[in-house]
Every structure is written in structure tokens, then in C-alpha cells.
Amino acid sequence: MINITLPDGAVRQYEAGVTALDIAKSISDGLARKVLAANVNGQVWDATRPINEDAKLTLLTWQDKDGQSTFWHSSAHLMAEAIESLFPGAKFWVGPAIDRGFYYDMDLGGRQITEEDLRALEKKMNELAKQNNAYIRKPIAKRDAVAYFEEKGDEYKLDLLQGLNDGEITFYTQGSFTDLCRGPHIPNTGFIKAIKLTNIAGAYWKGDEKNKQLTRIYGVTFPSQKELDEYLHMLEEAKKRDHRKLGKELGIYTMDDDVGPGLIMWMPNGTIIIEELEKLAKETESAAGYKRVVTPHIAKESMYLTSGHLPYYADSMYPPMELEGEKYYLKSMNCPHHHKIFAAEPKSYRDLPYRIAEYGTVYRYEQSGELFGLMRVRCLHMNDAHIYCSKEQFADEFRAVNEMYLKYFKIFGIDKYVMRLSLHSPEKLGIKYVNEPELWKETEEMVRQVLIESNIPYIEVQDEAAFYGPKIDVQIFSVIGREFTLATNQVDFSQGRSFKLQYTNADNQPETPLIIHRAPLGTHERFIGFLLEHYAGKLPVWLSPLQVKILPISDKFLPYANELRDQLRKKGIRVETDERSEKIGKKIREAELSRVPYMLVIGEKEALEHKLSVRRQGKGDVGTQTVEEFTAHILEEIADRKSGE
RNA sequence: GCCACUUUAGCUCAGCUGGUAGAGCAACUGAUUUGUAAUCAGUAGGUCGUUGGUUCGAUUCCGACAAGUGGCUCCA
């Protein structure tokens, strides 16, 4: 007999060789019908795999993340079975579960998959699922595994096998399909009740663009049709808050074929948002001791050779233009220009920290396939600044920048983000990163300490640093789930020396400053794209292009409405009157859809009493106020940059 | 840049197997003067992304290019 400890601490005794599924059955049949996998002593196992010694056991169902990923991974196998049956000769690479579903990469020998094929595959998968085929685990000797895939002629699985040791190789079989797989899997295919293959994509083998491109099919499955329907509904809802849709509906920005891909033109409404953001940045930076500068959009080749950008990033800069025998580049970053401003006048330690800021316009020749709405563009406006400081000042300066981030995030109510400490990878020194192993170690530790001392949760990732030093990136997700760096805070121990930047220290010796590159509000493009999705288009009053819309009940009240409008405008409030001879219902509907935060309904009663009837976007009628009450309220809301309400 | 798909009126979308296009909303005009999410009627608006080809004839079939979209790779 063995002892099984359940999550509530209860210990039960079973015969050795018992499975998680047996144990579930001994508790209740209902539970047994829901068990997808089990966590045995911290490892995720098949629910049907025998347990031979004392163990801590957690049964995993659809409610558990590990249960879901097991379910999706098994679904990938089911899809592969369907593919093998419909497209014989397909060779498979890997088919993992992802955040929301699964994919499988395969080589179809040049065959193209169409939307109709996906529907046929779904149908086949449903048929196979209904057969309730068990997923059967079988440990196998390496040479037998190799023989199996040699027979099949699957060079991809053979490649996978090369990296595995004898004794740790298992096959899983369900129905007529056998795959090399570590597992675990759900008990049988019958659990998979609802199937949706979502899209087809090319994916480079092993993620390397020099390799062959495989066909990748993405899908998602659920234990019931209802859950699939809910998921599809959620996708529909997410699409409604996509910044590309909102940007068009709200007249924020536009693009044009004649202007070029990835080049944003900000329309009047978008420009108001930009101006409000810049106002916030200027106030905040001025209070934090920054000074503003302005620099040109282009510079000579020699500067980017000095900075080291050209050898690393020439591919992502627009090609140079030749003038008077010199090559000029559109700037893809502001730092070199800022370094030149630092160097323009001699500096002493008394001038440090020297902080200069600019909403700099930069141009990056992003790969055409990467462009994405406002989030990935070729002309961007950075909330840029550079801080030149001594080693002793560094930690305080870096911490202050982080605090500025958090202050901004509070204003915008941003709470779903990941702070990512991006480190170099030592084997790429001299290739992707400046070759200064000691400095890398030292500054990475310094940055890590700042995060720990400030008690900021973060994750560490290798091989994500800038070429000149480690950085902290703030990662956010667009409504369609794509990840972006919203803000960045970077250490630079390299460019100071490249540009021969110096200051005189207290001992009258020349020293090279450390540099911090920071952009807490990222770029206008990405930040506004993010804000539109974050607020679902319902911007807070202070950011809203139009803050108040006056809606007269009929033309008779236009004179009072416009008198009111002028009065509010004098207070700096962005306000317009709907002067059309439409019914009030229509005026309200359109004002609501345009997401103007306040609507003022003006009729006979209001005109007589010199009052206004206030409507809040999304909330409806909130009662009658005097003009003074309303003005005081909205001005306070704007001045405090309140989010919501 | 690579794989796949898409591109019809300002917007959202119809248009079966080739015979030069249609709806709703928006716009404009007129009527209506309205009390908290769509008043009625009329008018106007499109070289069907661009460009080659096949055909008596192409929005429709084929190719190239461009832009957009979903991924891959990339992202200072």
C-alpha cells in the first residue's frame, strides 16, 4: 500500500500502481469525469499513469492552468492525427500548448493549406474525438524510436531525438497516431468537445529565418461548445477596442498609401491627446530637474559610426541620402544628438546629474511585415531623455526614473504590465553587445539592486539588453494579445566613452559619465495606441479631444447653448454644440458613440433657470446642475487628471 | 524580409459559375422644433487597390506590384 496526500492534507491509502483517475473515482464519479491530468510530487502526469510510491497528489481539471495546457497539448496531437489522415506524408516538428490554445508545426511537402482545409480538419478532429481514443504512454529505447521515424522518413523528429537521452524517451499513441512526446496527456480524446482551428502561418524551423519555413496551424479547443462560444464572443469584444478600429472611429489618426507604410498622420483629435501627454511630461520632467532641448531629424554618417549604432543597426535605419559628398541619415534615436549637447560646454561634477529631455522624432525602417497600427511604426515621437551622472549618483537617478514610471502608471491606471530586466548574453559579446564583460556584470547588478530595493516585481531575461547596456522594459499586451515594450529605462556605459564625454571630478580629474536613456511614456504612437485600448476609447476628461458636448432640445435653445459654450471655452474646456435640427435621442446616441465624457442637455427648463442637465458618457443622466457647479467639477477633474468618473 | 489571407461609395458590408455594380449608416437638400441611445422624404456619391495577361467582353479567371491583416523572424 502507498500513501497519497491530497491538497487538503488528507492522507489516503491505495494499492501501488493506482492511477490518479482511480483515486478520483474513489472520491466521486463526477470528479473522475473532469480529471484531465494530475500533479504528482510537483510533476504534471497523465491521470492514467500508475503511481508506485507515496506521493502528494493534486488532480488537475479545466480549472487548473496545467489542466488546460495538457488539454491543448493533447488537442495538438488530435490535430496531427487528423492531418496525417487527410494529408498523408506530413512530417511533424513540435506542437505545444500556448497561452490560449495550441499549434503544430509541420512540413507538408509544399502543399498549401486553405481555410476549407481547416474546416475539413475540424470535422475530422471531431470525428476522431468522438472515438474516445485513449492517449497511451509508452517508454521506448532510443534506437527503436530512431528506427520508427527513419521508417517514416521524418527528419524533424529524428532531429528532436538527437537531443534526447536513452531512457527518457516516450511515445504517445491515440487512435492511429503515434508521436514522440514527453507528455502528459488527457485520458482520452472524448474530453475534446469543441474545436476551432484559428489560423495558418509560416514559421521558421527552430525559429531561425535561415531555416526552412514550416506550416503552422493554430487552434483552440474546449471541453464544451459553450466555452468555445464564450471565447469567440470575447474575441469579438476585444476587436471592438482594437486601437486601429477606435483610431479610425474617433478621428485620432490616419495613414495613406501616398505617404508610406508605418507613417502616422495625427488628426486634430489625436493631436489634442499628444499635446496633453506632452504637457504632463513637461510638467513632470521640469519638476524632476530635466531641461528641454530640441535637435534635428538628421545627422551625418560619422556620428552614427561614433555612437556605434551603424554597425549594429544599419538594417533598421532608412538608407542615407548623399549631400555635398556626405552621407546623412534620418535619426533612429536621439541619444547621439543629446550627447553632442552634453559635450558642447565643459562639464564639472557640479553640473551632474545633467538631464536633458526632448519629444524627439525618430525614424526606423521596421521590416514591412512587422508594422502594426500605431504600435509598430516607422516614424515615432519618443518621450526621450538622457541623464548623465557619476557612478555614485547612478542608483538614485535610476531609482528616480523608475518612480516616475510608477507615477505615470498610477495616473493612467495601468496595472497589467510586466517589468522586465533585460540582460546581455556573454557569448554574444562583441557581436550584439559591446565587449566589456566586467562592466556588463557590474551594471546589471546595479540595476537589479535598484529594482530589489524599490520592491518592484520583475522578471529577468537573457539576451534582451541594448547593445550598450542592460535595461528595464515595461511590457504590455495589446487587445489581440501581442506583447509590446511600452516604456524603457536603459543603462549606457558605452556611448559616454565613444563620444569622449567627460566631466571634471572633485579631484580635478577627467571622468566619463554614465548615461541613462529613458522613455517612461514610450512613444506617442505606441502609448496612445495602448491608451485607446486600455480605456476602450473612453479617455479620461483631461485627455479627451472633446470634453463637453452641448445638446439643445430644439433650435430655440441654441442661443443659450452657444452662450454656455463660449463661457466654458473661456475656462479652457473643449466644448462644442450639436446645432443640428435632430431629435434629442439621436444627438445623445451620437454623442455617446463618439465617447465625449460630458453631455449637457439644454431645454426650456434649463434655459429659464440658467442650469444644465448633465449626462455622463456610459452612465446616463446624472441630474441638473448650475453652470458654476458643473464648471468647478469638470475643471477639478481635468486639473487632477482623474481617470474615470 | 518570409508564409498565408484580404482589398467594391466616407464607414460597415452584399454581388452564384465572366456580360462595366447594390444595401444600411454618413454627406447634401427639404420638411419637422423635438426632453435623455437612431423623425421622415428626396438627392448625390464608385475607372470595384494599381498594373499586365487570357477573353468578343474582366469587379469576377491568371500573374506582378502596393497596402492592410494573422503569424514567423526582427524590435537601439
Side-chain angles (χ1 to χ4, degrees), chain A residues 335-336 338-339 342 354 356 385-391 394 397-398 443 446 468-470 489-501 512-518:
Chain A
C335 32
H338 288 188
H339 301 337
F342 178 92
Y354 184 73
I356 49 177
H386 293 89
I387 301 169
Y388 303 81
C389 64
S390 68
K391 229 176 192 174
F394 173 77
E397 288 301 310
F398 198 79
T443 48
M446 211 155 43
Y468 45 62
N489 186 7
Q490 311 178 345
V491 187
D492 180 352
F493 49 74
S494 164
Q495 286 191 64
R497 271 185 301 182
S498 314
F499 278 85
K500 300 192 170 60
L501 302 184
T512 301
L514 275 173
I515 305 168
I516 296 172
H517 305 238
R518 42 109 284 175

Side-chain angles (χ1 to χ4, degrees), chain A residues 64-237:
Chain A
D64 301 286
K65 211 169 186 312
D66 286 335
Q68 286 192 354
S69 51
T70 304
F71 187 90
W72 282 326
H73 182 197
S74 297
S75 302
H77 279 231
L78 182 67
M79 180 171 81
E81 186 182 359
I83 288 163
E84 199 167 63
S85 126
L86 262 49
F87 311 118
K91 296 171 190 173
F92 297 97
W93 170 237
V94 291
I98 51 177
D99 272 1
R100 211 64 197 157
F102 59 89
Y103 67 78
Y104 217 124
D105 282 353
M106 66 205 85
D107 181 349
L108 295 168
R111 196 199 144 88
Q112 288 183 355
I113 293 284
T114 64
E115 286 289 323
E116 292 81 76
D117 292 331
L118 291 189
R119 302 292 86 80
L121 283 169
E122 284 170 0
K123 203 174 151 215
K124 189 75 194 173
M125 285 172 74
N126 276 310
E127 273 170 36
L128 294 168
K130 287 202 184 99
Q131 294 173 4
N132 294 329
N133 293 320
Y135 286 88
I136 299 157
R137 178 178 190 272
K138 181 182 157 203
I140 186 165
K142 184 164 181 174
R143 62 166 194 282
D144 295 337
V146 169
Y148 178 85
F149 285 109
E150 271 176 354
E151 163 91 34
K152 226 176 155 182
D154 190 332
E155 64 265 32
Y156 302 101
K157 290 294 180 189
L158 287 169
D159 186 88
L160 269 184
L161 274 167
Q162 272 191 354
L164 299 175
N165 296 321
D166 213 358
E168 60 179 27
I169 298 170
T170 51
F171 275 10
Y172 274 83
T173 302
Q174 94 276 5
S176 61
F177 180 74
T178 296
D179 202 355
L180 169 68
C181 182
R182 178 188 313 123
H185 283 283
I186 59 177
N188 66 67
T189 59
F191 283 82
I192 304 168
K193 304 276 196 213
I195 298 165
K196 177 82 185 163
L197 299 184
T198 47
N199 55 47
I200 312 156
Y204 299 108
W205 185 40
K206 295 184 180 180
D208 186 336
E209 64 179 330
K210 289 183 201 76
N211 285 340
K212 180 166 182 174
Q213 195 159 50
L214 304 177
T215 301
R216 174 175 295 180
I217 301 181
Y218 284 88
V220 64
T221 52
F222 293 91
S224 76
Q225 185 62 35
K226 186 168 161 268
E227 274 150 306
L228 173 59
D229 292 342
E230 280 168 7
Y231 173 70
L232 295 175
H233 179 71
M234 194 198 78
L235 286 185
E236 287 301 309
E237 289 300 307

Side-chain angles (χ1 to χ4, degrees), chain A residues 270-286:
Chain A
T271 305
I272 290 171
I273 303 176
I274 284 181
E275 284 172 352
E276 289 295 345
L277 288 175
E278 292 197 7
K279 207 164 100 194
L280 171 67
K282 285 171 186 172
E283 275 172 26
T284 308
E285 284 161 5
S286 161

Side-chain angles (χ1 to χ4, degrees), chain A residues 457-492:
Chain A
Y458 67 97
I459 58 164
E460 287 195 17
V461 286
Q462 298 293 322
D463 202 21
E464 290 284 340
F467 77 85
Y468 45 62
K471 58 178 180 167
I472 295 173
D473 290 326
V474 181
Q475 301 300 112
I476 50 106
F477 299 86
S478 82
V479 286
I480 64 164
R482 213 182 280 185
E483 182 176 356
F484 288 98
T485 299
L486 188 67
T488 184
N489 186 7
Q490 311 178 345
V491 187
D492 180 352

Side-chain angles (χ1 to χ4, degrees), chain A residues 236-253:
Chain A
E236 287 301 309
E237 289 300 307
K239 268 191 199 156
K240 286 185 194 162
R241 60 196 291 172
D242 188 311
H243 74 275
R244 292 165 296 184
K245 186 172 160 64
L246 289 169
K248 179 172 264 183
E249 280 174 9
L250 303 179
I252 306 291
Y253 74 97

